[in-house]
Amino acid sequence: MGRKAEEPDPEEELARPISAAPREGPLAQPIGGSGIRVPPRLVEGLNRKGLERVGDLLFLLPRTYEDRRRLSTIRELRPGERGVAVGTVRMARDLMIRPGKRGFQAVLADETGSIALTWFQSGPWMKSRVPVGKRLIVSGELRATAGGREMVHPEIEPADEGRGPSLHTGRIVPVYPGFERHEQRQVRELVARVAAAHLAAVEDPLPPELRERLGLPPLAQALARIHQPAPDDDLGALDQHRSPAHRRLAFDELFLLHLGLALRRQGVKHEPGIAFRVDGERLARARGLLPFTLTRAQARAVAEIGRDMARPEPMHRLLQGDVGSGKTAVAAVAAALAVEDGWQVALMAPTEILAAQHHATFARVFGKTDVEVALVTGTGSGSEKRRTREAVESGRARIAVGTQALIQEGTAFERLGLVLIDEQHRFGVLQRQALGQKGRRPDVLVMTATPIPRTLAMTLYGDLDLSVLDELPPGRTPITTRVATPPRHPEVWEAVELELRKGRQAYVLYPLVEASEKVDLADATRGAEELQARWPHRRVELLHGRLKQEEKDAVMEAFRAGRVDVLVCTTVVEVGVDVANASVMVIQNAERFGLSQLHQLRGRVGRGAAASFCYLLPSFAGGPDARERLEVLEQSTDGFVIAEKDLELRGPGEFLGTRQSGLPELSVANLARDQALSAVAAEEAKAIAAADPRLAGPQHRGLLRALEERWEGKLSLARVG
Ligand code: ADP
Ligand code: MG
């Protein structure tokens, strides 16, 4: 029936209402106190799961649906297939699985036959749920074993006593997230009662004209259908949250997302900003600071940025391009334009190492001028820090490069006009705003190396204009990428040795995540020791986030200067450094990374003219799927192709990290799947934002309320309403 055989663990699953549940009005009444009698213990249980208000239940989206329009007889159940049947418990007993480990087994029978129900766990609760003589609905995959036919860990629910179709049988039945199977019945009944009493109070945020034009069902009707599907509804569509009712909810999510973005963008645009003086001569001078000619893509981006800067509205632009596509160079031109016009520039990087590198780059670019470039970081001595802060505050330093330290208290600018953010996926919207507030509505340029598929970029950064660097500077040789499973690892190390003999350098990268930090660090440490033992005459160094800043700097500097041959490091230390002589990168446990991230990482080699290599070493733990996934990187060097693939494989949530993005969450809509719907929603949102930017019209009252609730105050900057 197209559903996954294994059940998610209800403990880990959240019984969360989708974000549309209203926070005010009749639907915000507490579940226990809304005129519907609910046992206090059930209320407590619901509250513990975060279900507190009537609306939370109405907007609790079923996880799956079960087809109980016709229950099978036990004889009709087919081995290897999922099925739902009803029967009576004939026998129930504990099962000795092995000494000290008990299971539970029951026999379920109807007039056509019997099957065994087996659990590899037991306890008093099993006996109370499966007592002899009880009629149960069981659902699961039937297996034919030597001993007969059985279901292992079936889902069970008490059957209705007789009386034909009801909420629980004779129809398509919802299964709610966060509740055990034996609790479903109670939840289903409660939701049905709440729906009967309160659906009429559901306010439809969409203007009727829009809803009708797009052929969407009214919200209350959609909710009713989601909890109690009609007999002829498409089960597959319901299960995949693609039914017309689900589509209505998905549309609302996308529409409110786009509307919020559109209004925020308008709000930003309407604030007075700085109109920089930009002309052909100034542009030529700024470009002349670079030791090379811009690529066509860079020239286009510079022109777009120049045009934005010249306008009185603040620039809000995203500069997107692969690692090495020349974003920093473009940013330097923008900085030169701002500085020439008498303004200060802030450049924010996600790590200290990257900040140091950007500082070095900018110091080089502006070396022939008298422009002072300061490095503002969280480390260094107190007096040093005070000196740089003072240089920025007095305006002596015209450019300040730094980490988050830049947005923390204590760094003031004399005349901040342009903010450059090397995002690398690290900063949320809030941080951007914090830096934005340091000046008088400065222009903002965000650089990102994550090639986000265009449709997604429009959604995630819908309030930013977009420039894309889709062309690499000349003289690069493409990187050859190979996936090597454990038996082929020796060949990889031979290939690395070959590069080392040519005088080149190598990166060996280990993943590091907080949850398994100790193990990951140990892996990297052992890896470094092994490589040092393999090449006693080479210098192997280990770099990770736990080292002191001075140690990190020393190792990095030694690698940059070519004194270190092999740099073993964890990805906590973003290796965003430019070392042209490094020609090979080995990535351990590569299956633990997303494809886009791997693509970004491998961009650290191939920065010079030498042929470069990247070896992806999945561990045994990755399994055969890992290899297949990683092979995408063998075949493509196009960041956008890889991003699309990544999106397809991992889904947009993980890809975008929306939770950190400061945008409302999407529960029903899926940005990858619903691109067409999203485009329609965006268009309609734009039209409304243009026609009624304060949503003051009476037909927009519901919309305004829904918008404020959905964005939870994150829209305040746009001053909606
Ligand atoms: P990104 O910031 O996108 O990773 P960078 O701006 O750091 O890329 O550029 C990567 C490398 O390419 C740097 O060494 C830079 O000097 C060089 N580079 C950038 N643009 C050009 C160009 N138009 N021609 C030649 N080299 C360039
Ligand atoms: Mg860069």
Side-chain angles (χ1 to χ4, degrees):
M1 272 188 291
R3 226 170 301 140
K4 269 189 238 124
E6 79 274 14
E7 284 283 290
D9 180 357
E11 288 296 305
E12 285 177 18
E13 197 185 33
L14 286 174
R16 213 172 21 171
I18 63 169
S19 41
R23 314 261 147 75
E24 277 172 35
L27 299 186
Q29 301 172 72
I31 287 170
S34 65
I36 296 179
R37 277 204 16 235
V38 189
R41 271 196 51 198
L42 179 56
V43 174
E44 259 170 53
L46 293 169
N47 288 353
R48 235 176 298 123
K49 292 182 198 294
L51 301 169
E52 292 169 358
R53 294 159 300 192
V54 166
D56 292 344
L57 284 178
L58 287 182
F59 285 87
L60 180 64
L61 199 66
R63 172 166 56 76
T64 70
Y65 293 83
E66 196 161 276
D67 191 354
R68 295 188 191 166
R69 284 172 292 194
R70 210 190 132 271
L71 300 179
S72 310
T73 61
I74 283 182
R75 195 215 298 266
E76 283 169 333
L77 293 172
R78 304 260 298 269
E81 287 180 13
R82 261 188 95 82
V84 187
V86 64
T88 307
V89 179
R90 289 287 174 233
M91 194 254 322
R93 62 181 172 105
D94 274 345
L95 201 64
M96 183 69 88
I97 296 169
R98 54 184 157 73
K101 175 84 180 145
R102 274 192 309 172
F104 189 81
Q105 195 165 52
V107 171
L108 190 81
D110 67 4
E111 52 286 359
T112 68
S114 66
I115 50 168
L117 311 176
T118 306
W119 288 267
F120 294 111
Q121 64 204 29
S122 184
W125 72 90
M126 285 300 328
K127 289 202 184 67
S128 68
R129 259 182 240 162
V130 191
V132 173
K134 177 107 175 163
R135 273 173 67 74
L136 290 179
I137 297 173
V138 298
S139 159
E141 189 183 320
L142 192 75
R143 295 206 307 208
T145 66
R149 306 193 317 156
E150 73 170 347
M151 276 190 191
V152 175
H153 285 218
E155 297 153 16
I156 53 167
E157 214 185 291
D160 278 322
E161 299 317 327
R163 277 180 287 131
S166 74
L167 265 186
H168 312 291
T169 48
R171 63 194 311 161
I172 297 173
V173 166
V175 178
Y176 292 97
F179 295 92
E180 300 269 4
R181 266 301 167 139
H182 67 274
E183 298 170 319
Q184 290 294 332
R185 201 183 150 85
Q186 203 180 18
V187 177
R188 205 175 292 136
E189 276 168 11
L190 181 60
V191 171
R193 280 162 61 209
V194 166
H198 295 290
L199 266 184
V202 170
E203 193 181 350
D204 200 321
L206 292 189
E209 179 277 322
L210 172 69
R211 188 180 61 65
E212 274 155 34
R213 185 157 43 80
L214 299 179
L216 297 166
L219 181 57
Q221 194 180 309
L223 288 171
R225 195 69 167 253
I226 274 171
H227 294 297
Q228 292 172 36
D232 57 349
D233 274 353
D234 178 345
L235 187 73
L238 285 168
D239 256 353
Q240 290 161 36
H241 295 179
R242 281 192 297 107
S243 77
H246 284 96
R247 225 175 102 83
R248 162 67 213 251
L249 297 186
F251 180 83
D252 283 17
E253 286 185 340
L254 293 167
F255 181 66
L256 291 171
L257 172 68
H258 285 297
L259 185 59
L261 290 171
L263 292 171
R264 187 160 83 181
R265 181 189 180 110
Q266 272 185 344
V268 169
K269 287 264 154 99
H270 289 153
E271 294 282 333
I274 304 158
F276 293 89
R277 274 171 297 173
V278 179
D279 55 35
E281 209 175 299
R282 282 168 183 249
L283 259 171
R285 243 193 326 270
R287 289 167 62 149
L289 291 176
L290 299 174
F292 41 73
T293 350
L294 297 180
T295 64
R296 248 174 328 173
Q298 284 173 317
R300 198 174 53 224
V302 163
E304 286 163 348
I305 291 164
R307 233 174 291 135
D308 279 0
M309 289 178 70
R311 284 204 199 100
E313 306 91 48
M315 170 167 74
H316 232 60
R317 186 169 282 277
L318 179 69
L319 178 61
Q320 185 184 310
D322 263 358
V323 171
S325 59
K327 296 182 294 299
T328 313
V330 170
V333 175
L337 287 172
V339 167
E340 165 141 21
D341 204 24
W343 295 87
Q344 278 178 302
V345 177
L347 167 55
M348 186 154 82
T351 63
E352 305 247 341
I353 291 180
L354 274 172
Q357 180 181 303
H358 281 320
H359 176 254
T361 304
F362 272 59
R364 216 167 32 241
V365 170
F366 290 92
K368 286 162 278 170
T369 69
D370 56 0
V371 174
E372 187 179 329
V373 184
L375 179 62
V376 181
T377 63
T379 55
S381 74
S383 63
E384 243 174 65
K385 278 197 249 182
R386 227 170 306 122
R387 238 193 342 263
T388 39
R389 296 249 149 96
E390 190 272 322
V392 176
E393 199 168 339
S394 69
R396 188 155 38 79
R398 302 312 294 169
I399 301 177
V401 184
T403 58
Q404 274 99 324
L406 268 182
I407 63 167
Q408 273 143 17
E409 297 300 319
T411 314
F413 288 81
E414 182 242 348
R415 198 166 184 251
L416 181 60
L418 175 68
V419 174
L420 306 166
I421 300 177
D422 190 352
E423 187 156 57
Q424 313 265 7
H425 233 173
R426 298 287 188 85
F427 296 110
V429 174
L430 294 180
Q431 274 163 308
R432 269 191 237 150
Q433 286 169 354
L435 192 50
Q437 281 153 4
K438 291 241 172 242
R440 213 200 73 202
R441 291 273 149 200
D443 277 12
V444 177
L445 180 70
V446 181
M447 298 175 261
T448 177
T450 310
I452 301 166
R454 207 177 173 93
T455 41
L456 276 185
M458 288 316 288
T459 304
L460 181 63
Y461 296 109
D463 54 340
L464 302 185
D465 295 306
L466 187 62
S467 293
V468 178
L469 299 184
D470 51 7
E471 177 187 7
L472 290 181
R476 301 282 170 80
T477 34
I479 304 158
T480 308
T481 299
R482 289 282 164 266
V483 180
T485 46
R488 320 250 336 240
H489 289 183
E491 295 164 42
V492 170
W493 298 120
E494 277 160 34
V496 173
E497 187 166 342
L498 214 62
E499 289 300 298
L500 296 178
R501 281 213 207 112
K502 286 192 247 168
R504 309 254 180 246
Q505 293 160 277
Y507 293 102
V508 179
L509 234 90
Y510 284 81
L512 187 144
V513 295
E514 244 170 79
S516 54
E517 188 177 338
K518 268 209 182 113
V519 182
D520 290 345
L521 269 182
D523 274 358
T525 309
R526 189 154 27 83
E529 283 164 4
E530 279 169 15
L531 290 180
Q532 185 68 80
R534 174 188 285 265
W535 299 307
H537 304 298
R538 309 269 177 207
R539 189 164 159 199
V540 179
E541 284 290 345
L542 178 64
L543 183 66
H544 57 75
R546 286 282 185 84
L547 295 179
K548 288 201 204 81
Q549 190 59 40
E550 303 89 275
E551 293 172 311
K552 281 193 256 184
D553 291 345
V555 171
M556 214 46 246
E557 188 40 47
F559 188 64
R560 201 200 308 263
R563 295 193 304 274
V564 167
D565 303 293
V566 181
L567 184 69
V568 179
C569 52
T570 63
T571 40
V572 155
V573 182
E574 198 74 33
V575 274
V577 260
D578 245 330
V579 180
N581 191 46
S583 62
V584 56
M585 170 172 286
V586 179
I587 303 182
Q588 300 276 15
N589 303 337
E591 79 279 1
R592 288 172 54 187
F593 294 98
L595 296 182
S596 286
Q597 200 183 357
L598 287 170
H599 176 63
Q600 221 165 310
L601 289 169
R602 77 175 162 183
R604 299 307 172 195
V605 292
R607 308 219 104 187
S612 303
F613 305 89
C614 175
Y615 297 99
L616 304 174
L617 274 44
S619 67
F620 275 120
D625 290 353
R627 198 198 146 83
E628 201 176 312
R629 191 168 67 91
L630 294 174
E631 274 168 3
V632 171
L633 289 164
E634 283 186 348
Q635 285 143 23
S636 179
T637 51
D638 183 330
F640 285 91
V641 171
I642 291 161
E644 294 280 2
K645 199 79 199 165
D646 213 8
L647 180 66
E648 203 178 292
L649 292 170
R650 292 197 305 159
E654 226 179 303
F655 185 86
L656 294 175
T658 34
R659 235 172 304 140
Q660 281 154 39
S661 67
L663 299 176
E665 250 178 85
L666 301 175
S667 320
V668 193
N670 173 324
L671 286 175
R673 185 190 69 191
D674 299 327
Q675 290 192 5
L677 191 65
S678 178
V680 172
E683 205 173 297
E684 298 291 344
K686 242 187 261 167
I688 290 189
D692 183 7
R694 312 189 77 87
L695 298 182
Q699 77 280 25
H700 294 149
R701 204 168 299 144
L703 203 50
L704 177 61
R705 208 164 14 243
L707 193 71
E708 280 172 341
E709 276 181 350
R710 193 67 65 92
W711 283 76
E712 296 177 58
K714 289 173 202 134
L715 270 180
S716 58
L717 271 189
R719 293 171 309 145
V720 182

